[in-house]
Amino acid sequence: MTDNSRIVKDSVAPVIVKAAANGHHPQLNGGHAALGKDGKKVIVPLLEADAHAVHEPPDGGTRAWLVMVGAFLCNGVLFGVINTYSVVYLSLQKQLQEVGDNEASSKAALVGSLTIGTTFLLSPVSGILTDKIGLRRTTFIGGLLTCSGMFLSSYFTHSVTALYFTYGIMFGLGAALAYTPSLAILGHYFKRYLGLVNGIVTAGSSVFTAIMPICLEYLVEHTGLATSFRILAVISSFVIFCALLYKPLQPPPPPPKVKPGRSATSTFFRSFINFDNWKKKRYIIWAVSIPIALFGYFVPYVHMGKFVKDNFPGKGENLPVMCIGITSGLGRLIFGFIADMPRVNRVLLQQMSFVLIGTLTMCLPATGSFPLLLAIALAMGLFDGCFISLLGPIAYDICGPRGATQAIGFLLGMCSLPLTLGPPVAGLLYDKTGSYQLPFILAGIPPLFGATTMFLIRCVKDEAPKQQPAVTEPKLEPLAHAAWDCENPTDGKPMNGQLHHERRATLASSGINAKSPLLTHASVSSLILEAYIADNPVFRLYAERKYCYGIL
């Protein structure tokens, strides 16, 4: 037996295969010789898998759980920093007042407002970048921006104008680029447990929001604002390491088809924006209903402290908001688990959460005791967690794996306006009336209206998209048996001697030794399959499905 060597290149790395001149086909891929005339090795590529095939999420495994932990940390770090700005606000306000600035409160508050506003407003940019350059690179850039913005802020603690850019815009842009991928990557690894995993990941913001205020307050008091910003920069660098875990399993959306008569401008925008999402009536209704509901959603979070101070003096002003935060994390876990149950309508579950949030908000002015107020706050937090944990799963249900990233990004961008305008409008009403009765009642109406408009989702139907075959793990079989079954199915009946002879004759006609023991070895099946492919179209379909690609 004379040994020859040939290199077969798969999608990962070239592999050297020892082949014998005992009847094996000397050509692969339609006639490219494995050995040159001088006997040197020739690289012969195998058939490439479909670049646009949809992969079935593994729903577990070490990599999947590491991705979940990374997304949990990413959510926790980003919103832990954003939600604990009140500690930074007090320090900045004090510095500005010491230098005699009459607008100390508004200037200090604007830094935090820019951060949260930029995070949501630029989320569509994150969705577009994710489709163009990938989840991992987008998150990596976001981590660099958050870390750099916080580090630069440590050198401008006495310049609020500079903090508008470094802390507000720079950190906010980085948070926007990192937040959307942290939700989108979960659909690549989970399907059956997607609701529960989204609940765990989004609960990261609740966990970090409960821990970081205490730690940050201690740091600011003992080390100063500049050192605290540097420590926050180190914490923000965790996002960069989380990005390294985000290995996408689903292919990017295919490029848009160029149609005759379409303008260059239209073609340009279609290359960045997934217009297929906006052709889905269900997504349009959902993406409009959520921002409507959020006009009043954020009002209790901002004005709860002042409401407690006016109606229950001497009580803990921040205790109701803490209760909302605690039960919000619990609600994300509970309703994430419920959302994964069979026959559970996730959209209906989100509607229920908006109805109860709106109703409880309208009940706030009628509370006559502080324990009752805390009970309402606990219930509001529970359904707040329900609403947040279902954003990612519903986006995947409506838009699929390829459209979910931009669906989440554009939804968050549309939510930035109502989240920003709702609390100031409630503040103006309080200044006019001197009471929170009218602001809280009006704040409860938008969630109820948004939940009502979401019923239209059940009344419309979208065109069924072209189904992409799910790529599953290869099934390793002996080629001689599997190939013959593809060409000559026996419907489970035993093959007689004549069929055995016909099989050997068919293989021999392609230069394959049917008596070779290599035919029973699954790892060599791919080589023989490539040899037979040129003459048999049935084998081509078989190869594209990768049933016989073994690990060499």
Side-chain angles (χ1 to χ4, degrees):
M1 182 182 296
T2 303
D3 287 344
N4 294 325
S5 296
R6 50 184 162 181
I7 299 178
V8 179
K9 181 180 178 183
D10 62 5
S11 58
V12 179
V15 182
I16 298 177
V17 181
K18 294 290 185 180
N22 59 349
H24 284 230
H25 201 288
Q27 295 180 341
L28 297 176
N29 285 345
H32 296 287
L35 289 175
K37 294 181 180 180
D38 55 356
K40 294 183 179 180
K41 303 167 187 176
V42 179
I43 295 179
V44 183
L46 292 176
L47 286 179
E48 295 292 336
D50 185 4
H52 301 298
V54 178
H55 296 255
E56 190 72 15
D59 261 324
T62 303
R63 183 88 187 194
W65 299 120
L66 285 176
V67 166
M68 185 196 73
V69 172
F72 174 89
L73 293 175
C74 188
N75 271 258
V77 169
L78 295 176
F79 284 95
V81 173
I82 291 173
N83 293 340
T84 56
Y85 177 73
S86 58
V87 179
V88 179
Y89 166 79
L90 294 175
S91 181
L92 286 178
Q93 183 190 40
K94 183 179 179 181
Q95 288 183 7
L96 293 172
Q97 287 176 344
E98 289 176 353
V99 297
D101 195 327
N102 296 327
E103 299 177 347
S105 298
S106 60
K107 288 183 178 181
L110 184 57
V111 177
S113 298
L114 282 173
T115 306
I116 187 68
T118 305
T119 299
F120 284 97
L121 185 62
L122 297 182
S123 290
V125 177
S126 176
I128 294 172
L129 275 180
T130 298
D131 284 345
K132 298 300 290 185
I133 66 175
L135 287 159
R136 181 179 289 175
R137 292 177 182 174
T138 304
T139 308
F140 189 83
I141 295 172
L144 287 177
L145 286 173
T146 56
C147 182
S148 303
M150 193 60 67
F151 183 74
L152 290 175
S153 298
S154 65
Y155 294 98
F156 300 105
T157 54
H158 296 283
S159 175
V160 179
T161 306
L163 289 177
Y164 291 156
F165 175 75
T166 58
Y167 195 111
I169 297 177
M170 198 169 175
F171 183 89
L173 175 60
L177 295 181
Y179 176 56
T180 302
S182 72
L183 298 181
I185 188 63
L186 301 178
H188 290 238
Y189 287 86
F190 297 95
K191 182 177 180 180
R192 180 180 177 185
Y193 306 112
L194 183 59
L196 177 60
V197 171
N198 266 273
I200 295 173
V201 168
T202 53
S205 60
S206 298
V207 173
F208 276 70
T209 301
I211 297 173
M212 286 189 66
I214 302 173
C215 300
L216 186 58
E217 188 174 1
Y218 176 85
L219 287 173
V220 171
E221 182 179 351
H222 290 82
T223 65
L225 200 57
T227 305
S228 299
F229 281 166
R230 293 188 184 104
I231 295 176
L232 287 178
V234 174
I235 297 175
S236 300
S237 67
F238 290 170
V239 177
I240 299 175
F241 296 102
C242 293
L244 302 179
L245 297 172
Y246 292 176
K247 181 181 180 182
L249 298 183
Q250 304 298 345
K257 297 179 180 179
V258 179
K259 295 183 179 179
R262 179 177 290 170
S263 65
T265 304
S266 176
T267 304
F268 174 78
F269 280 109
R270 286 177 180 273
S271 66
F272 288 96
I273 301 174
N274 188 347
F275 280 89
D276 289 340
N277 285 346
W278 301 101
K279 295 177 182 178
K280 301 179 187 294
K281 302 182 184 70
R282 298 170 68 225
Y283 176 71
I284 293 175
I285 295 172
W286 184 61
V288 171
S289 301
I290 297 295
I292 290 174
L294 294 185
F295 265 108
Y297 163 83
F298 207 53
V299 171
Y301 287 85
V302 176
H303 295 279
M304 184 67 77
K306 180 65 174 173
F307 175 75
V308 172
K309 186 176 181 180
D310 292 349
N311 294 274
F312 306 100
K315 303 293 184 179
E317 298 176 6
N318 297 323
L319 189 57
V321 177
M322 290 177 61
C323 291
I324 293 176
I326 293 172
T327 53
S328 177
L330 184 62
R332 298 174 196 195
L333 298 176
I334 294 174
F335 287 101
F337 176 77
I338 294 174
D340 288 332
M341 291 182 176
R343 299 181 182 179
V344 171
N345 189 320
R346 291 168 174 170
V347 175
L348 190 62
L349 202 61
Q350 197 172 59
Q351 286 178 269
M352 179 197 70
S353 67
F354 278 132
V355 169
L356 290 171
I357 288 173
T359 303
L360 292 170
T361 302
M362 298 174 75
C363 292
L364 286 174
T367 53
S369 64
F370 190 67
L372 179 59
L373 177 65
L374 294 181
I376 292 177
L378 290 170
M380 288 180 66
L382 198 65
F383 295 106
D384 167 80
C386 174
F387 150 66
I388 293 176
S389 65
L390 293 177
L391 288 177
I394 293 177
Y396 269 90
D397 289 344
I398 295 177
C399 298
R402 292 181 176 174
T405 304
Q406 289 200 24
I408 296 171
F410 276 92
L411 176 67
L412 295 176
M414 295 171 66
C415 291
S416 63
L417 186 62
L419 286 173
T420 305
L421 293 180
V425 171
L428 290 174
L429 291 174
Y430 174 79
D431 293 337
K432 296 290 184 181
T433 62
S435 170
Y436 275 110
Q437 182 173 356
L438 181 62
F440 280 164
I441 291 175
L442 293 179
I445 295 176
L448 296 176
F449 184 75
T452 304
T453 57
M454 289 173 69
F455 277 112
L456 296 175
I457 296 177
R458 303 172 65 90
C459 302
V460 298
K461 291 184 179 180
D462 295 321
E463 295 181 2
K466 296 181 180 179
Q467 295 293 331
Q468 293 287 344
V471 176
T472 56
E473 290 297 323
K475 181 180 179 182
L476 304 180
E477 296 181 1
L479 178 65
H481 171 74
W484 186 266
D485 291 341
C486 289
E487 186 177 5
N488 301 285
T490 60
D491 299 326
K493 299 178 182 180
M495 294 187 296
N496 54 29
Q498 180 182 359
L499 290 179
H500 278 291
H501 289 300
E502 290 179 1
R503 174 194 295 182
R504 291 186 179 182
T506 303
L507 295 175
S509 66
S510 295
I512 299 175
N513 184 1
K515 296 181 179 181
S516 172
L518 292 175
L519 286 176
T520 60
H521 198 289
S523 64
V524 190
S525 297
S526 60
L527 296 177
I528 305 172
L529 178 62
E530 291 288 344
Y532 197 61
I533 239 175
D535 301 320
N536 197 326
V538 177
F539 269 72
R540 182 174 297 278
L541 176 62
Y542 205 73
E544 289 174 350
R545 294 181 179 177
K546 297 178 67 177
Y547 282 114
C548 295
Y549 280 11
I551 301 172
L552 302 181

